[in-house]
Amino acid sequence: MPPKVKKRLKIAVTIVFALLLLAAGAFYVYTLDYYRADEAALQAMAGEENSIVTKDKMWIFYPEQQASDTALIFYPGGKVEAAAYAPLLKQLSQQGITCVLMQMPFNLAVFDMNAADRVFGQLPEVKHWYIGGHSLGGAMASSYTGKNAGRLEGMILLGAYSVGATELPTLAIYGSEDMILNTAKLEDTPNQHVIEGGNHAYFGNYGEQDGDGAASITREEQQRQAVENIMAFILDEEKR
């Protein structure tokens, strides 16, 4: 190889390597900027009365009074610490639903869309499986159903829409003040519930979210209504 060509190749390789390093550094900085779980969420995770078990990058919220044959696999929202959804899922488990909260790489479900695959073998007692998530987590949960609908009985989307067509029974819940969700993309989802006064962020406990609308109800009230509607949806599906 002529010296000039060799020198140019060396320079090109150096430039490419430097660009890759810059991209990796930028991505690392990007992942450090995420919404943290608030104190209420951390207390919900740590409460002594909880029946929460940690397994393989997931938290399992067991009902306290009796074993459940129904479970919800939950994908957290994009750039939101998974623990922020502990209060919501704790309430669902108190209603008799086993809830499995998935921990995502870099707090982005897009990097582990098939996380639900790890769950089924952990809970052999469960006969009725549902999947859901918030925001980006809901979108990635819907992507998972594309090839796995036969393992599931329903899907629950909180401030989210399905990214593909599905025949799986689906419930979409969102707040009237949600300024982040594109509600036009829910037009093919017949089962919808709007929480009046709710916004995008209040399904979780991680503070306010940039670009979101201002809620006129409390976070606790939005989650209470969400749990009420999720339970009604699951009970209706199990009657069929």
Side-chain angles (χ1 to χ4, degrees):
M1 181 182 296
K4 288 186 178 180
V5 174
K6 188 174 182 179
K7 183 178 181 181
R8 289 173 183 171
L9 180 60
K10 185 177 180 180
I11 292 172
V13 170
T14 301
I15 292 173
V16 170
F17 183 70
L19 290 173
L20 288 174
L21 281 178
L22 284 172
F27 177 74
Y28 178 70
V29 171
Y30 172 78
T31 61
L32 292 177
D33 179 23
Y34 63 90
Y35 293 99
R36 269 74 169 176
D38 68 16
E39 187 61 30
L42 297 178
Q43 288 180 2
M45 290 289 284
E48 293 181 1
E49 78 284 0
N50 288 357
S51 299
I52 303 176
V53 175
T54 304
K55 290 185 178 181
D56 192 19
K57 297 182 181 179
M58 68 182 81
W59 292 276
I60 303 174
F61 294 69
Y62 287 101
E64 296 176 18
Q65 302 300 323
Q66 59 185 13
S68 173
D69 66 354
T70 301
L72 168 67
I73 301 168
F74 193 87
Y75 286 16
K79 297 188 74 177
V80 178
E81 186 177 9
Y85 299 95
L88 176 73
L89 299 184
K90 180 181 177 182
Q91 290 182 60
L92 277 170
S93 70
Q94 289 171 342
Q95 297 295 317
I97 305 296
T98 298
C99 296
V100 186
L101 175 60
M102 308 308 299
Q103 182 180 356
M104 294 297 180
F106 310 111
N107 298 302
L108 291 166
V110 69
F111 289 111
D112 195 5
M113 187 181 70
N114 296 318
D117 283 342
R118 304 196 302 270
V119 181
F120 298 103
Q122 300 284 356
L123 299 167
E125 72 276 12
V126 172
K127 308 302 179 188
H128 308 286
W129 289 99
Y130 293 80
I131 194 169
H134 176 227
S135 197
L136 177 64
M140 292 303 97
S142 76
S143 292
Y144 180 81
T145 68
K147 296 181 180 179
N148 297 278
R151 309 173 83 174
L152 303 160
E153 295 188 15
M155 179 167 60
I156 297 157
L157 303 175
L158 304 181
Y161 55 83
S162 178
V163 297
T166 179
E167 295 182 0
L168 196 67
T170 300
L171 169 65
I173 306 175
Y174 61 94
S176 63
E177 308 310 307
D178 188 334
M179 296 294 112
I180 294 174
L181 174 67
N182 183 354
T183 56
K185 294 188 176 182
L186 285 170
E187 60 183 12
D188 294 327
T189 305
N191 194 354
Q192 299 181 34
H193 178 80
V194 181
I195 298 178
E196 292 299 329
N199 65 5
H200 192 78
Y202 279 14
F203 290 110
N205 284 63
Y206 57 89
E208 306 296 331
Q209 187 161 342
D210 292 342
D212 199 6
S216 59
I217 60 174
T218 65
R219 193 182 307 272
E220 291 77 15
E221 175 60 17
Q222 179 161 333
Q223 291 176 19
R224 185 196 68 77
Q225 291 190 39
V227 168
E228 183 179 271
N229 281 274
I230 292 169
M231 289 305 303
F233 171 72
I234 291 176
L235 290 173
D236 284 346
E237 289 305 314
E238 293 190 352
K239 288 178 183 176
R240 297 185 183 188

